[in-house]
Amino acid sequence: MAEQEGGNGSPNSSSLTPYEEALEVLSSLIIRRTRADSSNLGDQFEVLFEYLKMLDLEKPISNMKIIHVAGTKGKGSTCTFTESILRNYGFHTGLFTSPHLIDIRERFRLDGVDISQEKFLAYFWWCYDTLKEKTDDNIPMPNYFRFLAILAFKIFAAEKVDVAIMEVGLGGKYDATNVVRAPIVCGITSLGYDHMEILGNTLGEIAGEKAGIFKDRIPAFTVPQPDEAVHVLEEKASLLNVPLQVAPPLDAKLLNGLTLGLQGEHQYLNAGLAVALCSTWLKRTGHFGDTNLEQTNTLSEQIIKGLTSASLQGRAQIVPDQHINNERSNELVFFLDGAHSPESMQVCAKWFSLAIKEYNLDQTLFHQQPDEAVKMHNGESGVQTKSIQILLFNCLTVRDPQLLLPHLMKTCADHGVYFKKALFVPSLSVYNKVGSQALTPSDPNVDLSWQFALQRVWENLMQDNQGKSTEVVSEELKDDMGMSASNCEHSAVFPSLPVAIKWLRDRVHQNRSVRFQVLVTGSLHLVGDMLKLVKK
C-alpha cells in the first residue's frame, strides 16, 4: 500500500521506536484551547472540508455507510454495542471513539480490534505528511482531535469497511466528525450537564448542540430524555424533516437469560438505542435480515450475541490487583468507572454498590447487617473477613466537585455503602503528550492545590453526613500516612497515583483479614492511568 512510504516529515530520533516517534509528532498537534476561536481560520469548522480536499477524502466519506452518535453519557457504550451487533452479522466494521485509556490505537477499531501499529503508522504518516505539505499560514495543520477524526475517515475508507460507527468527540454541530453529509442513521444518547463552558448552561442549549448532527431526512433515534431536551431535539428534527424516534430501553428478558457485555442497569438504555440504530442501518442498506426494531417479541441471534459479548475498558470494569492477588482470595480489587458528570456519578455509585455485593457473594458467603458500613462474611478459611470501601478520585478542574461528590456519596449511602477513606491524586497523564512517555514520574514539586480543594469538599460532606455513617475511619487505615501530602480524618491527598497504589498495597499486606474494594472514578484519564499501572 502506498501509505507505507510515509514518514518523511518526521524528525529522526534513535532513542524512539517508530511508534513513539509518531506519537511525539501527534503530541505536537495538541493545543490548550478548548473552544473555537473565530479569529483563527484553523479553528473554524469550515476548514475541516479543506483538509478533506487535501486528502481526497470527500468522495470516500460520501460513499461510507456511517452511523453517527452524539450525547453526554453512554456514547462509547452505545457505539460499542452497535459495532458488536453489526460485526456479529458478518459486516466489516470500523469504530472511532474517544478518549483512549491506554493506547491511542484504541480509538480506531477494525472488526472489534484496535488497529495494528503497522497500519496505524502507515495511515498516520500518509495523512500527516500530506497535510504538512499542503497546509500553510492561512490553513494551518489541524489540531489533535481534528487530525484523529480525519485519520479515522482515512483508515475506514482505505480499509473498505462496510459500516463506520463514529462517536462525536464534543458537542455535535461543530465536532470534527460532523463532516459527514449523509449518514445512514444518527443517535443521541442520554443528555446531561457536561462541558457547559462550551455547550451552554441549560439542557436545551446542550441538546441543540448535540442535535447538530441531524441531517436532512436522515432517521435519528434518541433515548428517553428530560422534557427540556426532548423539545429541543424535536424542534431541530422538524426543521430538517428528520424522523426522530425514542428507542425504548432494552427488555432484559429478550436476552434469553444472558446478560449485557457492559455492566450496569443504565446499559439497557444504551443497548436499546444500539438495537434501533442497527435495525435501521440494516434496513436502509438493504440488509433486511431477521431484524426486530420494536423489540416486542424476540431479538435475532446476532443482536443477542452482539449485546452480550460487547466489551469496553474503563466503564463499570472490575480489575483485581494482580500484584497482590495470587492464589489467595482477592484482597485488593479496583472498580473502575470513568464517570465525570453528576448524572453518571449516580449511575456509577449504584453500579459500585451493587457490584461489591455481587462480588463478595462470588468470593465468599456474603451477608450484610442492617445499616452497617462494614460487610462481614465468612472467608474460605473460616475466619471472618471484612470488606472496606475506599474512593480513589480525581476530576478535571472544569468539573464542579460540589456537584459530583455529593451525588456519589448519597447514592452509595442509599445502598448502605460508606467509604472508609477517600484518596485524591493528581493526574499522571499530561495534556500535551500521547503515549507511554505521557506518564510523568512522581514530581516532588507537583501542584496539589486542586486535590486539596477536592479533599475539603469531601471532608465537609463527611461532617454534614456524620450522623448517617455508623463509624469513623477503620483501624486498618490509621497507620502510616507518611506517604500522603495531607491526611484528614476521612481522606488523604497523595502526590501521585503510584504512591497511592503503593499505600493501598501496604495496607493489604498489613491487614490480611481485610478485603479492600477501591472505586476509581471522576475521570477517564484517571481510569486510564490506573489501567496502565495495574495491568503492567
Side-chain angles (χ1 to χ4, degrees), residues 80-81 84-85 88 301-310:
T80 298
F81 281 133
S84 185
I85 289 169
N88 277 283
E301 179 186 337
Q302 295 95 327
I303 289 178
I304 292 174
K305 189 172 181 187
L307 292 173
T308 56
S309 64

Side-chain angles (χ1 to χ4, degrees), residues 197-262:
E197 76 283 2
I198 300 170
L199 303 180
N201 293 313
T202 69
L203 213 50
E205 288 175 326
I206 291 169
E209 285 293 320
K210 308 292 185 182
I213 69 167
F214 289 166
K215 301 297 185 300
D216 188 46
R217 291 187 290 276
I218 301 295
F221 291 87
T222 188
V223 296
Q225 306 276 12
D227 288 345
E228 184 184 356
V230 169
H231 293 324
V232 174
L233 292 179
E234 289 176 343
E235 181 185 308
K236 298 288 185 184
S238 67
L239 290 173
L240 290 167
N241 300 305
V242 168
L244 175 66
Q245 296 182 59
V246 175
L250 184 82
D251 182 348
K253 294 194 291 289
L254 297 178
L255 296 176
N256 299 338
L258 300 173
T259 56
L260 291 174
L262 307 181

Side-chain angles (χ1 to χ4, degrees), residues 86-228:
L86 293 176
R87 174 161 40 88
N88 277 283
Y89 267 103
F91 294 106
H92 179 27
T93 62
L95 172 62
F96 176 65
T97 58
S98 62
H100 65 278
L101 295 182
I102 298 175
D103 191 306
I104 192 79
R105 294 179 296 114
E106 295 167 30
R107 295 174 183 246
F108 316 93
R109 306 197 81 177
L110 295 167
D111 298 325
V113 179
D114 300 352
I115 190 172
S116 68
Q117 276 198 20
E118 181 185 19
K119 283 186 175 181
F120 175 84
L121 288 173
Y123 295 126
F124 171 84
W125 285 120
W126 186 85
C127 287
Y128 182 85
D129 288 343
T130 304
L131 289 172
K132 197 73 176 169
E133 181 185 335
K134 296 184 177 182
T135 51
D136 54 30
D137 290 343
N138 290 322
I139 302 179
M141 285 290 286
N143 66 29
Y144 172 71
F145 183 79
R146 287 182 166 189
F147 181 87
L148 293 178
I150 293 164
L151 178 58
F153 286 120
K154 172 61 182 177
I155 290 169
F156 298 155
E159 293 291 320
K160 296 181 171 59
V161 299
D162 298 319
V163 56
I165 298 115
M166 305 294 294
E167 178 193 345
V168 167
L170 177 61
K173 185 176 183 180
Y174 297 113
D175 186 74
T177 61
N178 204 31
V179 294
V180 178
R181 307 274 198 184
I184 301 298
V185 61
C186 295
I188 306 285
T189 64
S190 298
L191 298 177
Y193 295 97
D194 197 18
H195 297 294
M196 292 157 66
E197 76 283 2
I198 300 170
L199 303 180
N201 293 313
T202 69
L203 213 50
E205 288 175 326
I206 291 169
E209 285 293 320
K210 308 292 185 182
I213 69 167
F214 289 166
K215 301 297 185 300
D216 188 46
R217 291 187 290 276
I218 301 295
F221 291 87
T222 188
V223 296
Q225 306 276 12
D227 288 345
E228 184 184 356

Side-chain angles (χ1 to χ4, degrees), residues 459-468:
E459 289 292 327
N460 289 337
L461 285 171
M462 288 299 291
Q463 286 179 8
D464 293 343
N465 291 278
Q466 193 67 59
K468 299 174 187 174

Side-chain angles (χ1 to χ4, degrees), residues 501-515:
I501 294 173
K502 182 181 187 307
W503 181 81
L504 285 166
R505 287 170 174 167
D506 288 348
R507 298 288 73 68
V508 172
H509 283 304
Q510 292 170 17
N511 300 280
R512 290 295 191 177
S513 63
V514 179
R515 178 177 295 147

Side-chain angles (χ1 to χ4, degrees), residues 435-453:
S436 57
Q437 66 272 37
L439 288 183
T440 56
S442 298
D443 180 358
N445 300 314
V446 65
D447 179 9
L448 296 173
S449 56
W450 177 243
Q451 284 65 45
F452 293 140

